[in-house]
Amino acid sequence: MAERPTTIYDVARAAGVAPSTVSRTFSRPGRVNAETAERIREVAAELGYRANPQARALSTRTTSMIAVLLADIANPVFAELVRGAEEAAAEAGYAMVLADTRESAGREREVLDKILPTVDGVVLASPRMSDTAVRQVAKVKPTVVLNREVGGLPSVVVDNPRGMRRAAEHLAGLGHTHVTYLAGPEAAWPDGVRWRALRDVRVDLGLSVRRVGPVPPTVNGGVRAAAAWAAHPTSAVVGYNDMVAIGFMRGVLAMGRRVPEDVSVIGFDNTQSAEIVTPSLTTVASPQRELGARAVRHVLAFVGGARSTSAEPVLLPSKLVQRASTGPAAPSL
């Protein structure tokens, strides 16, 4: 005779809790005390219990799946973010659906139309949709926004203004007085924040600043920015992200310029590429893994019935990592 499958009643008896608590642990983890939920999961594993997502979806209208939408999966900054998000989802017994929206608001809406019925919550990482469109998504499923503030919605962001100030202070301390900002996509919320932050500190630090772009947030975009910079060169440059900064270095080196002897370069995000490129890239670092984990924990809390108590975003720190791509300002270009 086949062995009887383990049920939630078996798990409840062994864990010393009510069957409803076992059910919530696997279907609505935000509603169960973290220590209790961990004990229940351990007991379930020992007994060989496996929750049935399809059956649970029919009875509770949940799927134990969340969606994470990325603006560009090829951008290395998202690697650690995704890892942190997946770890947090797995800890709560959730699976994660990952979608690449290719820097397109239209693609974001198309993907969401298809997957919203199949997931319990959504994390939008650097969305390109309008605020109105993002709010419409949040009316359908619990939604958390990353790397962007949308009024009235929970979000997790990096302290970009502080990061840019540290970058500008570093350049000013090296004697630079003219700085070019290499802008990223117009629809990218961090781009506007970083440019405004640079303009805000220019008077205090005695800097003259200008903007080149927008350019794609890629190495090729940085090469294109180098050509525009060469028409009115400055002794220092800050790129929208590491990829743009690395592409810029490639472009100016091809022109016969030297980094940092002729131009100092700073990026944003502190991706692995920043360490292995030559010269190694000075960059503004942010805790991307924690960013992804925080977003998933937030959205799962809302799935579990929590309510947002503050309109303020969760703000994670940034810091400047100094490497070989910055140096004293040259007397002239």
Side-chain angles (χ1 to χ4, degrees):
M1 180 181 293
E3 185 177 342
R4 178 178 65 85
T6 303
T7 69
I8 64 170
Y9 300 99
D10 300 319
V11 176
R13 265 193 306 273
V17 299
S20 59
T21 304
V22 176
S23 177
R24 284 196 301 272
T25 295
F26 292 100
S27 64
R28 307 188 78 180
R31 287 277 185 92
V32 181
N33 174 275
E35 292 183 4
T36 301
E38 181 61 27
R39 184 171 78 254
I40 290 170
R41 282 193 288 268
E42 289 176 356
V43 170
E46 290 173 2
L47 296 179
Y49 172 75
R50 294 292 183 271
N52 186 325
Q54 288 75 28
R56 186 165 64 247
L58 290 174
S59 62
T60 66
R61 296 190 178 184
T62 65
T63 64
S64 289
M65 298 175 67
I66 59 169
V68 176
L69 273 66
L70 306 177
D72 180 6
I73 201 169
N75 188 332
V77 71
F78 288 124
E80 284 297 293
L81 187 153
V82 168
R83 182 165 295 177
E86 196 281 329
E87 289 173 351
E91 286 173 3
Y94 269 68
M96 191 174 79
V97 178
L98 195 62
D100 177 16
T101 61
R102 307 171 193 169
E103 296 281 353
S104 166
R107 172 69 176 165
E108 284 176 347
R109 287 190 291 268
E110 178 184 337
V111 169
L112 286 165
D113 285 344
K114 293 177 180 177
I115 66 175
L116 277 180
T118 68
V119 298
D120 295 339
V122 178
V123 174
L124 298 175
S126 303
R128 301 308 189 224
M129 294 184 296
S130 67
D131 285 6
T132 299
V134 173
R135 291 191 188 98
Q136 288 173 345
V137 175
K139 290 178 180 178
V140 179
K141 290 292 173 72
T143 301
V144 172
V145 184
L146 280 181
N147 294 320
R148 177 172 162 186
E149 293 182 37
V150 177
L153 295 186
S155 60
V156 185
V157 300
V158 173
D159 194 346
N160 282 292
R162 180 180 178 86
M164 181 59 84
R165 172 174 277 277
R166 294 293 173 265
E169 288 173 344
H170 176 59
L171 293 173
L174 291 170
H176 296 278
T177 56
H178 294 77
V179 179
T180 297
Y181 175 66
L182 311 178
E186 288 182 292
W189 183 82
D191 179 72
V193 173
R194 291 167 187 171
W195 170 236
R196 287 192 297 272
L198 182 57
R199 289 189 302 170
D200 288 345
V201 302
R202 69 187 191 280
V203 175
D204 290 346
L205 299 177
L207 297 176
S208 171
V209 301
R210 61 186 291 262
R211 176 185 173 106
V212 165
V215 298
T218 62
V219 171
N220 286 338
V223 173
R224 185 191 307 178
W229 167 87
H232 302 281
T234 55
S235 66
V237 161
V238 179
Y240 164 72
N241 65 9
D242 288 349
M243 294 300 97
V244 169
I246 290 169
F248 174 85
M249 290 197 297
R250 178 181 294 180
V252 296
L253 289 171
M255 299 173 191
R257 309 276 195 181
R258 299 167 300 165
V259 177
E261 292 83 359
D262 296 323
V263 56
S264 287
V265 182
I266 296 179
F268 262 83
D269 297 332
N270 195 34
T271 58
Q272 290 185 349
S273 300
E275 295 185 83
I276 62 176
V277 71
T278 302
S280 58
L281 180 65
T282 297
T283 184
V284 177
S286 54
Q288 292 297 317
R289 184 177 293 202
E290 179 64 14
L291 196 69
R294 286 281 192 100
V296 166
R297 292 186 189 119
H298 269 48
V299 81
L300 291 181
F302 298 136
V303 168
R307 295 290 179 267
S308 179
T309 58
S310 173
E312 294 298 317
V314 175
L315 187 66
L316 298 185
S318 60
K319 65 178 182 179
L320 185 71
V321 179
Q322 298 181 31
R323 296 195 179 99
S325 67
T326 50
S332 61
L333 287 173

